[in-house]
Amino acid sequence: MQSSNHRLRDMEQHHPLLSTGVDVEAGSLAAEVMGGGHHGGHTAGNRTLWFIQDGCGMVCATITWFLVLYAEFVVNFVMLLPAKSFWYSLLNGATFNSLAVLALASHLRTMLTDPGAVPKGNATKEYMESLHLKPGEVIYKCPKCCSIKPERAHHCSICKRCIRKMDHHCPWVNNCVGEKNQRFFVLFTMYIALISAHALGLSGMHFFTCMKSQWNECSDFSPGVSVLLLIFLCLEAILFLTFTAVMFGTQLHSICNDETEIERLKNEKPTWERRMRWDGMKTVFGGPPSLLWCNPFTGLRLRRLLLLTQGRRSGSEFSV
């Protein structure tokens, strides 16, 4: 496709002219169901609920919730409620359950937030003419989703969309980690690491206490059942702590160096002005450092979310 004003190239490896801050929309683009066809979801100002209907991702997300809720059950009903010290149970229970709620909220925000998807099918002649490009300038079209690719955008084969500043696709949150939801993914890994470390500490304290007294007095469950539940919790906590601590560190490193994981693996040379350290953190988390950085509920509008969920239809994806 060629005109007097610009040239369009189908390329996957590219250095496009469009910046990540440009919202490319063609008319009243709403969500397109993966595989083509009709728009799906309730639109409110061109916004619909984002959800990727990938089988593997949905299973992994369900397993994540099950494991967190399992940890909640063991910590509360096996260790804390039978404890003799009221203040020990109250303080640890409030801390652990608060962190677990924040972890699950961060997981939901990561999963249900548009990671920065480029609208499908916007590489039309009319739209490209509306860009008023200079003669000889080149823009790049993704041949897979037929969209104009902004700078630093990459195509996700699972989401079937080009994602701005795509870091990676994580099946545990059933979504890509990109420009708009990286903050929530960082919070998710941080809170999971914290509750995992807390659960390990409580398990060690519980074993130590029960070894000095009778196991029957330490829990409302039989000794055998209690030991099996605690062993599984410890194994889960060790795996989760290791994985999420590493992911948390790598995410902070990527943010501070303004380089996504894909860009690092592909060894792409930066053609953009890099935001280093605190500038990168402020860009991802929004504003100067504050406690709001740790709040996954920031910017959440429940009324809008309820409106969006009313119009959901079947399909592989609902997007913003």
Side-chain angles (χ1 to χ4, degrees), residues 32-38 120 144 158-161 315-317:
E32 268 194 325
V33 177
M34 283 185 182
H38 304 287
K120 282 183 178 179
K144 299 176 182 177
I158 298 176
C159 296
K160 293 185 170 65
R161 298 287 287 273
S316 299
E317 165 207 309

Side-chain angles (χ1 to χ4, degrees), residues 91-309:
L91 294 176
N92 283 287
T95 301
F96 187 86
N97 288 295
S98 297
L99 291 175
V101 169
L102 291 171
L104 293 177
S106 300
H107 183 272
L108 276 179
R109 293 301 301 275
T110 308
M111 182 170 61
L112 300 179
T113 299
D114 171 19
V118 179
K120 282 183 178 179
N122 65 347
T124 62
K125 180 180 179 179
E126 294 77 12
Y127 177 71
M128 287 184 286
E129 289 177 348
S130 69
L131 296 177
H132 303 295
L133 299 174
K134 297 178 181 179
E137 286 187 337
V138 179
I139 57 177
Y140 296 93
K141 183 188 80 172
C142 175
K144 299 176 182 177
C145 60
C146 197
S147 63
I148 296 177
K149 300 185 72 169
E151 187 176 34
R152 306 184 71 182
H154 293 85
H155 186 87
C156 175
S157 59
I158 298 176
C159 296
K160 293 185 170 65
R161 298 287 287 273
C162 286
I163 307 296
R164 294 186 180 95
K165 288 185 68 176
M166 176 181 170
D167 188 85
H168 68 286
H169 185 96
C170 179
W172 299 106
V173 298
N174 189 32
N175 202 0
C176 277
V177 177
E179 183 179 64
K180 296 182 179 179
N181 68 346
Q182 187 176 24
R183 166 192 178 180
F184 302 120
F185 182 74
V186 173
L187 293 180
F188 169 66
T189 57
M190 181 183 74
Y191 286 126
I192 290 294
L194 289 176
I195 65 173
S196 299
H198 194 186
L200 279 175
L202 291 175
S203 299
M205 182 66 69
H206 191 75
F207 273 114
F208 179 76
T209 302
C210 292
M211 290 296 292
K212 295 195 304 182
S213 60
Q214 295 295 326
W215 274 92
N216 292 329
E217 300 176 0
C218 290
S219 175
D220 296 332
F221 296 88
S222 64
V225 172
S226 297
V227 170
L228 286 177
L229 291 174
L230 289 171
I231 289 176
F232 187 79
L233 176 64
C234 289
L235 292 175
E236 173 193 343
I238 292 172
L239 290 175
F240 266 44
L241 176 60
T242 304
F243 175 74
T244 55
V246 170
M247 286 301 301
F248 179 72
T250 56
Q251 286 295 300
L252 289 184
H253 181 269
S254 295
I255 293 172
C256 291
N257 288 279
D258 196 14
E259 182 182 46
T260 67
E261 186 66 17
I262 290 180
E263 291 165 350
R264 186 186 67 82
L265 292 175
K266 290 185 175 181
N267 197 25
E268 295 183 1
K269 295 182 180 179
T271 58
W272 59 93
E273 183 180 353
R274 303 181 74 169
R275 299 183 177 92
M276 305 300 287
R277 298 180 175 84
W278 281 112
D279 289 336
M281 295 288 288
K282 291 176 184 178
T283 301
V284 172
F285 288 91
S290 69
L291 291 177
L292 292 178
W293 281 15
C294 302
N295 182 12
F297 300 102
T298 302
L300 181 63
R301 299 180 182 179
L302 294 178
R303 183 178 180 183
R304 175 180 292 178
L305 183 61
L306 292 174
L307 288 173
L308 295 180
T309 56

